[in-house]
Amino acid sequence: MHTPPPVFFRPEAGWVGDVIPYAEDGRFHLFYLLDRRAENPAGMPWHRVTTDDLVTFIDAGLALPTGTSPDSHDHNCYTGSVVRDDAGVHHLFYTAQNPVIRGADGQPLQRVAHATSTNGMATWTKHPEHTVGAPAGYESADWRDPFVFRHPDGRWHLLLAARHTGGAERRRGTVARLVSDDLVTWAIADPIWDPRRYVTQECPEVFEWNGWWYLVYSEFSDRFVTRYRMARSPEGPWLAPAQDTLDGRAWYAAKSAARNGRRFFFGWIATREGHRDDGAWLWAGTLSILEATQQPDGTLTMAPAPELLASFTQDHAAQLGLTKGPLTALDGYACVVSENELPQQFHARVVVDIEEGTREFGLLLRCSADGDTGYVLRLEPHAGRMVLDRWPRRSTGPAQWQISGDVPQILELERPAHLAPGRHVLDAVVDGDLAVLTLDGVVTLSTPLYDHSCGRLGLFVSDGRLEVVEVNLTQRPA
């Protein structure tokens, strides 16, 4: 039996780390850090995958190799960016690091390195003489993730995840800036954003969209998450939207590229140690793409691209056997579960109409026939959030009371959500151990799913009433 193509890209040789997207002539070139997770890694290179349709991915393999000797300054080639100058030459800026090359503080140096391509990014020529380290006032071990863009002043600006040498240990992070006329000689300028809030702001990027400027970054101080700020100028002041996260804990280091007036974010869904839901989060995972929609007030909402959803063309709703109609539990809990199990890869789309005062409702994914075990995408109007829960939760002993009922969901996996009475649409794109869950096309939560590998689809309501209006299940053709 033929199997459908995978929904999410992951290379055969390892895992996708930070993605460096670059769009040209309608094609997305997705450079990424290849994490081999080897016991004795031979450095971290850049690899590249391309896509024209956001559905089909062509793995182009090695793009930027690591340094050729043990003492190369770029034993590890970490995150950066790609731009093309007015002469058509492509410039690649990346973080060069070698664990054995250390600064005055004893920590491995991080420096900005430069490479160019004159053959359409097929190969790159490194220019070690252009390497730039942290100047006085900045920690030399945090000088990474260079992002280069053309500023309205006509010059090239280069942003960095950096840290001041002075100040509170956890709050020295800044988005440092260099400026240049020729992409070769750089001068230090004032930081573009200096919040004194985080350890550092990783993978910063700036772009303009319909009169708004956006600063996107990832942080691991308050939470592991990708956030954004808004301004009317690239010089700020930068404003925090009410909901400033793009996704949850499992989708990290997202950066964007635009095509035909649309903007797409490319991040990775993290893996967990031991492939267990309770396993520690690991760096790197599987590529996942979300499209941003700009709202009238300039804020951004996130959802899978329509092209991805449209690739699920085979209707299997009838085979699922899930009852539509009212579901009521005014003072308790009620659920309805499909007659048959879900396939390993699917797009489920469910429309519900909730009555005012309903406390909780949501989807059951890969659940048992009675709905008592599996994953729970729980919507909580009273708390204004969407969370991922599971049952059974972790147990610390054999007694009933030793189930961890005081850990009400996988704490890192929740998103703020507006849940007014009326109709709501729930989309679940699942492929094996990965899921992207979306509410009303505006709030998305990505996650790995390990402990429950099969099961049924269900819906539930707690302390309220809803009507199941639509249930659709589609698959990709093999």
Side-chain angles (χ1 to χ4, degrees):
M1 176 182 287
H2 295 291
T3 58
V7 175
F8 307 98
F9 171 78
R10 204 198 90 187
E12 293 183 7
W15 286 261
V16 174
D18 299 352
V19 181
I20 301 96
Y22 175 73
E24 185 173 296
D25 298 331
R27 174 167 295 169
F28 291 107
H29 300 262
L30 308 178
F31 299 93
Y32 64 92
L33 309 189
L34 178 67
D35 184 14
R36 301 184 184 95
R37 295 186 186 166
E39 213 170 292
N40 297 300
M44 180 167 287
W46 283 27
H47 276 224
R48 178 173 58 143
V49 61
T50 63
T51 181
D52 296 332
D53 59 6
L54 303 168
V55 174
T56 306
F57 300 95
I58 299 174
D59 190 351
L62 179 66
L64 182 73
T66 60
T68 56
S69 65
D71 59 352
S72 295
H73 74 294
D74 61 350
H75 174 78
N76 291 311
C77 300
Y78 290 145
T79 306
S81 60
V82 174
V83 296
R84 185 174 63 178
D85 67 19
D86 296 335
V89 176
H90 291 91
H91 296 255
L92 186 156
F93 295 88
Y94 63 103
T95 306
Q97 191 254 25
N98 188 326
V100 304
I101 301 176
R102 298 176 179 265
D105 60 1
Q107 299 298 314
L109 288 176
Q110 291 185 346
R111 291 177 281 192
V112 175
H114 182 210
T116 56
S117 176
T118 57
N119 58 7
M121 302 182 289
T123 59
W124 297 90
T125 300
K126 295 181 179 181
H127 303 284
E129 70 277 11
H130 297 165
T131 301
V132 179
Y138 292 94
E139 294 186 358
S140 61
D142 283 285
W143 191 251
R144 64 179 178 274
D145 305 344
F147 175 80
V148 177
F149 71 104
R150 182 85 81 171
H151 192 277
D153 67 11
R155 297 180 297 174
W156 296 99
H157 286 221
L158 184 154
L159 308 184
L160 287 153
R163 278 169 56 83
H164 295 291
T165 53
E169 179 67 24
R170 289 188 301 111
R171 305 195 182 277
R172 295 181 190 169
T174 187
V175 181
R177 172 164 42 180
L178 303 175
V179 296
S180 175
D181 293 317
D182 59 5
L183 292 169
V184 172
T185 303
W186 296 91
I188 191 70
D190 291 337
I192 199 169
W193 190 48
D194 196 17
R196 298 283 181 158
R197 177 176 177 181
Y198 306 109
V199 172
T200 190
Q201 295 83 229
E202 296 192 299
C203 301
E205 72 160 322
V206 163
F207 61 88
E208 187 273 338
W209 194 7
N210 295 330
W212 283 101
W213 285 84
Y214 297 89
L215 169 63
V216 180
Y217 63 96
S218 295
E219 61 97 353
F220 51 82
S221 308
D222 291 344
R223 296 170 61 190
F224 262 89
V225 72
T226 301
R227 300 184 186 271
Y228 76 99
R229 295 292 184 265
M230 306 163 51
R232 287 298 191 179
S233 159
E235 301 307 314
W238 296 102
L239 308 174
Q243 312 300 345
D244 72 338
T245 58
L246 300 184
D247 199 316
R249 167 62 177 87
W251 192 70
Y252 194 68
K255 298 179 76 172
S256 72
R259 185 175 69 181
N260 299 329
R262 300 165 67 189
R263 184 155 292 267
F264 302 91
F265 281 82
F266 305 84
W268 44 266
I269 300 177
T271 46
R272 304 194 78 155
E273 192 172 52
H275 293 275
R276 306 185 323 271
D277 288 339
D278 284 328
W281 293 104
L282 300 176
W283 189 86
T286 305
L287 173 68
S288 179
I289 305 169
L290 298 178
E291 181 175 5
T293 298
Q294 188 181 50
Q295 301 301 314
D297 63 356
T299 57
L300 302 179
T301 58
M302 307 293 291
E307 290 90 336
L308 174 65
L309 301 183
S311 69
F312 293 82
T313 58
Q314 296 183 343
D315 184 3
H316 289 270
Q319 293 94 314
L320 189 64
L322 183 61
T323 304
K324 293 185 288 186
L327 188 60
T328 302
L330 297 180
D331 185 19
Y333 174 92
C335 70
V336 59
V337 176
S338 66
E339 295 177 2
N340 298 308
E341 290 196 349
L342 290 160
Q344 283 296 293
Q345 184 190 91
F346 64 88
H347 170 213
R349 184 178 182 88
V350 177
V351 180
V352 297
D353 195 318
I354 63 168
E355 287 195 3
E356 187 170 2
T358 296
R359 186 170 178 82
E360 297 176 354
F361 68 100
L363 281 182
L364 304 174
L365 287 171
R366 292 181 174 167
C367 68
S368 56
D370 60 4
D372 203 37
T373 66
Y375 297 104
V376 182
L377 181 67
R378 188 171 65 245
L379 291 306
E380 302 176 351
H382 69 284
R385 66 179 182 175
M386 174 173 77
V387 307
L388 183 68
D389 199 352
R390 62 198 165 134
W391 199 265
R393 298 176 184 151
R394 180 184 295 176
S395 297
T396 57
Q400 288 178 324
W401 55 269
Q402 289 176 308
I403 292 173
S404 297
D406 57 344
V407 181
Q409 72 266 353
I410 305 176
L411 292 176
E412 304 96 333
L413 297 180
E414 63 176 66
R415 299 293 319 283
H418 179 63
L419 294 161
R423 289 200 175 192
H424 293 280
V425 180
L426 305 176
D427 284 285
V429 175
V430 177
D431 188 3
D433 59 8
L434 295 170
V436 176
L437 312 170
T438 306
L439 167 69
D440 294 331
V442 296
V443 180
T444 296
L445 182 62
S446 304
T447 181
L449 302 174
Y450 293 125
D451 292 355
H452 299 286
S453 59
C454 59
R456 309 183 187 208
L457 180 69
L459 290 109
F460 76 94
V461 65
S462 182
D463 295 339
R465 180 186 287 116
L466 63 79
E467 181 173 357
V468 182
V469 180
E470 294 180 24
V471 178
N472 297 306
L473 184 79
T474 51
Q475 291 182 262
R476 281 179 153 188

